[in-house]
Amino acid sequence: MPATEESGDEALYVLTAVLLTPAQFPSVLGDDYPEACAVLGLEPYETGYGLVLGQDGGGARWTVVTDDVSLVACAIATWDCGMEYALAIDDRTVVASLPGWPLAVAVAAPGIPAPHDPALGAELGADASRAPLTPPDSERWGPAQRRLGADEIALQWAIWREQVDSDVTFVAPGEKPHGGVRRVLEEARGYLASPPPAGRIRSAFASGDARTLRADGPGWSMVARTDDIAFVLLDDAPGEVLPVGRGPELPELLTALDKLAMRPH
């Protein structure tokens, strides 16, 4: 489980950590890696960052940014295996200490006040004067919620796949695809001619030789398996998930996109 680490004279009670790299970053922050970095005021360096979310001794929320990506990746992998790992960040690797959390965190450090935003000018970070980071509002639909929805489909692929008829086609005979879907496919195809910013297309292991493909663009997200169908979510279709069958076109598009995709090391 996450543990306390010391930062100068201040203790940070670590609750969780995430990676911010071209191939793996919190989708709530943006459609691509540079956009996600911009939200946090960071330069989009290729090596990326680790984001450590915790509380100080007074209970205030802090997001500590470190350039020791391998350390954070090791901690996350250890926690995922159910083992303890005391994440201790070397002060020399700290890039920024940002007030607040950009993600929803369901736990809190024991024995200190409940999580709250730090007061302006708090001691832990030089960036305490900026507005605290906050997770997206779950009560409204927008780009962050659309991307979170795509994340959920990628994590729960089998459940979502079962809800779609196995014979779903790319375009039903005599019909045109949903207007929004048609636009998404055209824009995704445009990435082949003009590669998008890093992180707009990401590829992760699925099963066998298949990959889970994630592509985002202005107002849309697509999740697909390279050996199966795709799902599209749109900003202008709140809460709606649109399946895209394989048909004659999708397999070739997914294969081409996968070749452009960023992959975790």
Side-chain angles (χ1 to χ4, degrees):
M1 294 296 291
T4 307
E5 70 98 11
E6 298 293 332
S7 177
D9 296 328
E10 291 288 329
L12 179 72
Y13 296 83
V14 177
L15 300 178
T16 189
V18 294
L19 294 178
L20 175 63
T21 69
Q24 196 171 353
F25 57 89
S27 294
V28 294
L29 296 177
D31 286 325
D32 54 54
Y33 174 63
E35 185 177 317
C37 287
V39 171
L40 303 179
L42 304 172
E43 291 293 326
Y45 295 129
E46 184 178 352
T47 50
Y49 306 93
L51 305 181
V52 180
L53 282 60
Q55 296 173 260
D56 64 20
R61 307 180 185 96
W62 289 96
T63 298
V64 175
V65 183
T66 174
D67 58 14
D68 194 342
V69 179
S70 59
L71 175 69
V72 174
C74 180
I76 293 171
T78 304
W79 296 335
D80 286 346
C81 292
M83 297 184 290
E84 293 187 1
Y85 188 99
L87 178 54
I89 306 170
D90 188 324
D91 283 348
R92 293 171 295 181
T93 72
V94 173
V95 176
S97 295
L98 307 174
W101 296 332
L103 312 173
V105 178
V107 296
I112 62 174
H116 60 273
D117 291 334
L120 293 180
E123 293 296 326
L124 188 62
D127 298 306
S129 60
R130 63 171 286 165
L133 300 168
T134 58
D137 182 359
S138 61
E139 298 300 317
R140 59 178 293 273
W141 181 263
Q145 291 76 15
R146 176 250 302 167
R147 293 188 293 260
L148 284 173
D151 288 347
E152 185 63 23
I153 292 172
L155 287 172
Q156 305 289 339
W157 177 268
I159 295 175
W160 285 92
R161 186 63 180 86
E162 288 176 357
Q163 300 181 37
V164 180
D165 293 336
S166 60
D167 60 349
V168 62
T169 55
F170 186 73
V171 180
E175 296 182 3
K176 293 183 178 181
H178 182 285
V181 169
R182 185 165 62 249
R183 176 178 65 83
V184 168
L185 296 175
E186 289 173 353
E187 292 187 13
R189 196 171 290 111
Y191 287 164
L192 306 182
S194 180
R200 282 279 176 100
I201 312 171
R202 288 170 279 162
S203 177
F205 174 77
S207 59
D209 294 328
R211 305 287 297 182
T212 296
L213 195 66
R214 172 66 178 276
D216 294 275
W220 60 268
S221 293
M222 180 171 69
V223 185
R225 291 284 179 99
T226 52
D227 63 346
D228 203 353
I229 67 172
F231 292 98
V232 167
L233 294 87
L234 305 168
D235 282 356
D236 56 8
E240 191 172 356
V241 178
L242 304 168
V244 183
R246 284 182 71 75
E249 299 179 49
L250 191 65
E252 182 179 351
L253 175 61
L254 296 181
T255 298
L257 290 174
D258 189 55
K259 292 179 180 179
L260 292 178
M262 304 297 299
R263 300 184 177 215
H265 296 300

